[in-house]
Amino acid sequence: MNKPTKRQEMLRVFENGQIFHELMAALSMALDMDARGKLYHAWRVALVAAKTAEIMLPDKVTDVFYAGLLHDIGAMGLDDHIVHQMISGEPLTDPIILEHSNRGAAIAKELPALAEAAQYILEHHEHWDGTGTPAQKSGPSLSLGGQIVAIADQLDILLRLYPLDQGKKALEIIKSRAGSSLMPEVVEAFLAAVAETPYYYQVQDYNSLTPLMTETLEKLPPVDCVHPQPFKATVRVFARIIDAKHKYTSGHSQRVAYYGVKLAREIGFTEEQLEELEVAGLLHDFGKISVPNRILDKAGPLDDDEFAIIRQHPGRTAELLNMIDGLKHLAWIAAGHHERYDGKGYPLKLGGEEIPLGARILSV
């Protein structure tokens, strides 16, 4: 039997849902990267929400999990990560924060598989007593999934505010919010599924989050992406999400992929190689999601510190793609687009033939 090609393996892994799950996890990781490192906010929210949903909403665990991963995707344009602003104690007046639930739901809806998750994203700052945002919905009008994501989100913020007592203070505050910001039954489910089990201490340990995430991803059922070419459709949506980070890059990733494929076709790439190059082109700026907008939008020249942050994004693209089985072989084709033939590029200072041919094409 012939060994499957990399393209065939990529599509096979996508069709069984694995790439979709891992793309979502990688996207949430990208959203949680900043100049200080990885925050793991979305991962912890997703893990806690999914565990709570196993009791409260067992037929929607996948939707709740995705909503947890992407609940703050609408806050992508902030100068500083929303977590830092939430724990600062300062009034939250930035329009991006105030609208991030609406924007996040709209982004999630671009993927049909996330239609249910989009509703939960929309409602994750609504309160049981009607004092939340964006629509001041209350009581039974709220979705269970939205309230489950809400409790997980609030828990993560509280654990950051009170990090030294193994979550006791956070738990006390969560219990006190039953009937105000949180649905009492959801608080009960959270206590049973997470807070009163060893899992509560596992999710507080950052070293445990990656194995917990891997275990959860492996258990998720396949996702129906509802499209004649679901893999390409999903990657193109990802490209639009990446480009939405910065107001001047609308359509950039799609243009890079388009022109890269045209050039590669002229020099004799096979159809399979062209398809892989297109994927790499669409995802080449994946790591740029972690760059603060104050740097991307700066009108004048960047200072040394700002340029150092910019230079991190190709390496982060490679790191994120290496999280995804079926796309690992494209990591440095996508991430090598700032390497230079003379060896003066970044991040690896590769030169000449050391740079993958696909990366050289995309850099043009």
Side-chain angles (χ1 to χ4, degrees), residues 91-114:
L92 301 177
T93 58
D94 190 309
I96 293 176
I97 292 181
L98 298 178
E99 282 296 314
H100 83 278
S101 298
N102 281 320
R103 185 180 178 217
I107 292 171
K109 283 180 182 176
E110 290 202 45
L111 285 169
L114 299 183

Side-chain angles (χ1 to χ4, degrees), residues 2-139:
N2 292 331
K3 183 179 179 181
T5 65
K6 289 179 179 177
R7 174 183 175 276
Q8 289 170 334
E9 179 63 15
M10 181 173 68
L11 294 177
R12 182 196 67 77
V13 174
F14 182 82
E15 286 167 0
N16 73 19
Q18 187 176 349
I19 281 186
F20 189 88
H21 298 325
E22 292 175 352
L23 272 169
M24 294 301 150
L27 175 58
S28 70
M29 177 59 74
L31 294 168
D32 272 356
M33 287 177 168
D34 65 10
R36 286 162 277 198
K38 300 172 185 174
L39 294 171
Y40 292 103
H41 170 63
W43 278 26
R44 188 149 64 180
V45 170
L47 291 167
V48 170
K51 186 63 73 172
T52 304
E54 288 176 6
I55 288 181
M56 194 77 184
L57 205 58
D59 59 332
K60 299 291 185 181
V61 170
T62 300
D63 298 309
V64 170
F65 176 76
Y66 283 144
L69 282 180
L70 302 181
H71 71 284
D72 281 338
I73 193 171
M76 191 165 48
L78 289 170
D79 287 341
D80 198 13
H81 195 283
I82 191 170
V83 163
H84 300 309
Q85 303 202 35
M86 294 288 286
I87 66 177
S88 70
E90 298 294 323
L92 301 177
T93 58
D94 190 309
I96 293 176
I97 292 181
L98 298 178
E99 282 296 314
H100 83 278
S101 298
N102 281 320
R103 185 180 178 217
I107 292 171
K109 283 180 182 176
E110 290 202 45
L111 285 169
L114 299 183
E116 191 80 24
Q119 184 62 34
Y120 305 158
I121 291 170
L122 178 65
E123 295 184 2
H124 79 278
H125 281 297
E126 298 287 2
H127 290 174
W128 184 249
D129 62 8
T131 60
T133 60
Q136 292 79 51
K137 295 173 71 174
S138 65

